Amino acid sequence: MRHFLADDDLSPAEQAQVLALAAELKHAPYDAKPLAGPRTVAMIFDKQTLRTQSSFAAGIAELGGFPMLVDGALAGIGVRESVHDVARVLGRQASMIVWRTYAQGNLEEMAAHSGVPVVNALTDDFHPCQLLADLQTIQEHKQQLAGLTVAFVGDGACNMGNSWLLAGATAGMHVRISSPEGYAPSAAMVQRAAAIAATSGGSAALVSDPVAAVTGADVVVTDTWISMGKEDEAAARAAVFAPYSLTVELFEHAKPDAIAMHCLPAYRGKEIDAEVIDGPQSVVWDEAENRRHAQKAILTFLAEDLR
Ligand code: NVA
């Protein structure tokens, strides 16, 4: 039974296979029906969502399946009943489970007991579906992944920083993470990415100076400074992260044809200038659209395990 809990659950070859399928599905969205039946896919959200809920719901329907929204607050997973018991119950109702939650450990427990494929729709540690969409978007704009340099500027310790390390390394990219002191990814995460990069021809590095990180980059990425669950740290973070804002001036250090990326929601004037996110080199709306195509591809990949 395969799951998609973290970016490196896919080998480099499997990631390439899923991305190729995502491109095919974008071209012909209504042809493939691996969830015909319709099979039910349970979607649970313990944190806020717009893109993830809408893109999974639309994508599951396009694959011939039924997206069953399970209200995380009503279910009270881990509070009202254990993750283990919820996994056993949902595994009897649904063919797959898509879950956005806090602790990666709870997602792993769901996967261990559900008996059906489980997909990470964002945890505190990873956002692997976003990275599939982002890699698809880069391929569309740059016609390649391996060998490109990506600079992630901002909260490197959040789910997006970790996922860029693992997914970028898997794709053979050179990943630079630039964060203020205390907000870098863990040494273990960088090591995990470096081990993948050693097999894919990519690299993984922490570059604390944002100008050095962005200089010569093909892709420049940022994310909110205040991830869901960190709202009470907002004031302190705003001061610490200010030098890591993706301003027009910082973006000018990237290659002239560099693209700017952001998973959204974005806070203009904070982590990114309006002129960058709304400018001609921004690909954020393609990223948002590609969530649907990329997620359909990973669901199709996992559907091979369905009986
Ligand atoms: N790092 C952000 C990503 C939002 C899609 C968060 O976790 O809130």
Side-chain angles (χ1 to χ4, degrees), residues 43-44 54 69 72 101 136 151 155 168 171 193 209 260 269 291 304:
M43 307 187 301
I44 320 160
S54 57
L69 187 59
T101 192
Q136 179 180 5
D155 184 6
D209 174 10
R291 294 292 304 277
E304 282 169 19

mmCIF file of all heavy atoms in Angstrom, residues 43-44 54 69 72 101 136 151 155 168 171 193 209 260 269 291 304:
data_model
loop_
_atom_site.group_PDB
_atom_site.id
_atom_site.type_symbol
_atom_site.label_atom_id
_atom_site.label_comp_id
_atom_site.label_asym_id
_atom_site.label_seq_id
_atom_site.Cartn_x
_atom_site.Cartn_y
_atom_site.Cartn_z
ATOM 1 N N MET A 43 -11.932 13.637 2.323
ATOM 2 C CA MET A 43 -11.061 14.815 2.462
ATOM 3 C C MET A 43 -11.344 15.427 3.834
ATOM 4 O O MET A 43 -12.487 15.798 4.132
ATOM 5 C CB MET A 43 -11.382 15.867 1.404
ATOM 6 C CG MET A 43 -11.389 15.371 -0.036
ATOM 7 S SD MET A 43 -11.569 16.762 -1.181
ATOM 8 C CE MET A 43 -13.128 17.465 -0.659
ATOM 9 N N ILE A 44 -10.297 15.561 4.634
ATOM 10 C CA ILE A 44 -10.457 16.100 5.985
ATOM 11 C C ILE A 44 -9.540 17.315 6.133
ATOM 12 O O ILE A 44 -8.352 17.229 5.806
ATOM 13 C CB ILE A 44 -10.040 15.076 7.065
ATOM 14 C CG1 ILE A 44 -10.500 13.667 6.704
ATOM 15 C CG2 ILE A 44 -10.557 15.490 8.443
ATOM 16 C CD1 ILE A 44 -9.734 12.592 7.445
ATOM 17 N N SER A 54 -10.722 22.901 -2.988
ATOM 18 C CA SER A 54 -11.391 23.045 -4.291
ATOM 19 C C SER A 54 -10.697 22.208 -5.362
ATOM 20 O O SER A 54 -11.358 21.580 -6.202
ATOM 21 C CB SER A 54 -11.471 24.511 -4.701
ATOM 22 O OG SER A 54 -10.195 25.094 -4.738
ATOM 23 N N LEU A 69 -16.395 15.294 1.874
ATOM 24 C CA LEU A 69 -15.803 16.238 2.824
ATOM 25 C C LEU A 69 -16.158 15.801 4.244
ATOM 26 O O LEU A 69 -17.329 15.719 4.596
ATOM 27 C CB LEU A 69 -16.325 17.655 2.550
ATOM 28 C CG LEU A 69 -15.657 18.758 3.367
ATOM 29 C CD1 LEU A 69 -14.154 18.796 3.124
ATOM 30 C CD2 LEU A 69 -16.283 20.104 3.014
ATOM 31 N N GLY A 72 -13.341 18.343 9.826
ATOM 32 C CA GLY A 72 -12.339 18.021 10.840
ATOM 33 C C GLY A 72 -12.790 18.420 12.240
ATOM 34 O O GLY A 72 -12.530 17.711 13.218
ATOM 35 N N THR A 101 -3.617 18.403 8.290
ATOM 36 C CA THR A 101 -3.620 18.459 9.751
ATOM 37 C C THR A 101 -2.318 19.054 10.263
ATOM 38 O O THR A 101 -1.527 19.604 9.487
ATOM 39 C CB THR A 101 -3.904 17.056 10.336
ATOM 40 O OG1 THR A 101 -4.182 17.195 11.732
ATOM 41 C CG2 THR A 101 -2.750 16.083 10.113
ATOM 42 N N GLN A 136 5.455 20.969 -11.722
ATOM 43 C CA GLN A 136 4.761 20.962 -13.018
ATOM 44 C C GLN A 136 4.811 22.360 -13.639
ATOM 45 O O GLN A 136 5.053 22.521 -14.843
ATOM 46 C CB GLN A 136 3.301 20.514 -12.834
ATOM 47 C CG GLN A 136 2.513 20.502 -14.137
ATOM 48 C CD GLN A 136 1.064 20.051 -13.978
ATOM 49 O OE1 GLN A 136 0.590 19.818 -12.863
ATOM 50 N NE2 GLN A 136 0.348 19.922 -15.083
ATOM 51 N N ALA A 151 15.725 29.340 -5.369
ATOM 52 C CA ALA A 151 15.993 30.001 -4.086
ATOM 53 C C ALA A 151 14.673 30.176 -3.355
ATOM 54 O O ALA A 151 13.765 30.831 -3.869
ATOM 55 C CB ALA A 151 16.651 31.351 -4.318
ATOM 56 N N ASP A 155 10.528 31.612 5.569
ATOM 57 C CA ASP A 155 10.484 30.675 6.701
ATOM 58 C C ASP A 155 10.896 29.277 6.237
ATOM 59 O O ASP A 155 10.062 28.449 5.881
ATOM 60 C CB ASP A 155 9.063 30.660 7.291
ATOM 61 C CG ASP A 155 8.972 29.785 8.534
ATOM 62 O OD1 ASP A 155 10.025 29.297 9.000
ATOM 63 O OD2 ASP A 155 7.848 29.592 9.035
ATOM 64 N N GLY A 168 12.610 19.328 -4.500
ATOM 65 C CA GLY A 168 13.579 19.919 -5.417
ATOM 66 C C GLY A 168 14.774 19.005 -5.605
ATOM 67 O O GLY A 168 15.246 18.794 -6.732
ATOM 68 N N ALA A 171 13.982 16.164 -7.811
ATOM 69 C CA ALA A 171 13.918 16.567 -9.226
ATOM 70 C C ALA A 171 15.291 16.914 -9.805
ATOM 71 O O ALA A 171 15.379 17.295 -10.983
ATOM 72 C CB ALA A 171 12.976 17.766 -9.360
ATOM 73 N N ALA A 193 17.706 15.818 2.305
ATOM 74 C CA ALA A 193 17.655 16.324 0.925
ATOM 75 C C ALA A 193 18.993 16.104 0.220
ATOM 76 O O ALA A 193 19.025 15.723 -0.966
ATOM 77 C CB ALA A 193 17.298 17.805 0.926
ATOM 78 N N ASP A 209 22.308 34.617 3.528
ATOM 79 C CA ASP A 209 22.189 35.936 2.885
ATOM 80 C C ASP A 209 21.199 35.849 1.711
ATOM 81 O O ASP A 209 21.443 35.140 0.728
ATOM 82 C CB ASP A 209 23.577 36.361 2.388
ATOM 83 C CG ASP A 209 23.519 37.657 1.576
ATOM 84 O OD1 ASP A 209 22.450 38.311 1.560
ATOM 85 O OD2 ASP A 209 24.533 38.005 0.943
ATOM 86 N N ALA A 260 8.846 33.879 -10.482
ATOM 87 C CA ALA A 260 8.548 34.061 -9.054
ATOM 88 C C ALA A 260 7.374 33.166 -8.685
ATOM 89 O O ALA A 260 6.375 33.109 -9.418
ATOM 90 C CB ALA A 260 8.205 35.520 -8.762
ATOM 91 N N GLY A 269 3.427 43.189 0.365
ATOM 92 C CA GLY A 269 4.079 44.165 1.230
ATOM 93 C C GLY A 269 4.720 43.528 2.442
ATOM 94 O O GLY A 269 5.426 44.185 3.197
ATOM 95 N N ARG A 291 -2.473 22.617 -9.082
ATOM 96 C CA ARG A 291 -2.802 21.767 -7.928
ATOM 97 C C ARG A 291 -3.744 20.641 -8.376
ATOM 98 O O ARG A 291 -3.586 19.489 -8.010
ATOM 99 C CB ARG A 291 -3.475 22.594 -6.821
ATOM 100 C CG ARG A 291 -2.580 23.645 -6.177
ATOM 101 C CD ARG A 291 -1.468 23.003 -5.361
ATOM 102 N NE ARG A 291 -1.997 22.112 -4.362
ATOM 103 C CZ ARG A 291 -2.450 22.486 -3.161
ATOM 104 N NH1 ARG A 291 -2.410 23.741 -2.806
ATOM 105 N NH2 ARG A 291 -2.922 21.583 -2.290
ATOM 106 N N GLU A 304 -3.418 2.649 -8.296
ATOM 107 C CA GLU A 304 -2.946 1.337 -8.762
ATOM 108 C C GLU A 304 -3.007 0.308 -7.626
ATOM 109 O O GLU A 304 -3.048 -0.893 -7.875
ATOM 110 C CB GLU A 304 -1.519 1.448 -9.315
ATOM 111 C CG GLU A 304 -1.547 2.053 -10.723
ATOM 112 C CD GLU A 304 -0.170 2.433 -11.243
ATOM 113 O OE1 GLU A 304 0.831 1.935 -10.712
ATOM 114 O OE2 GLU A 304 -0.133 3.247 -12.174
#
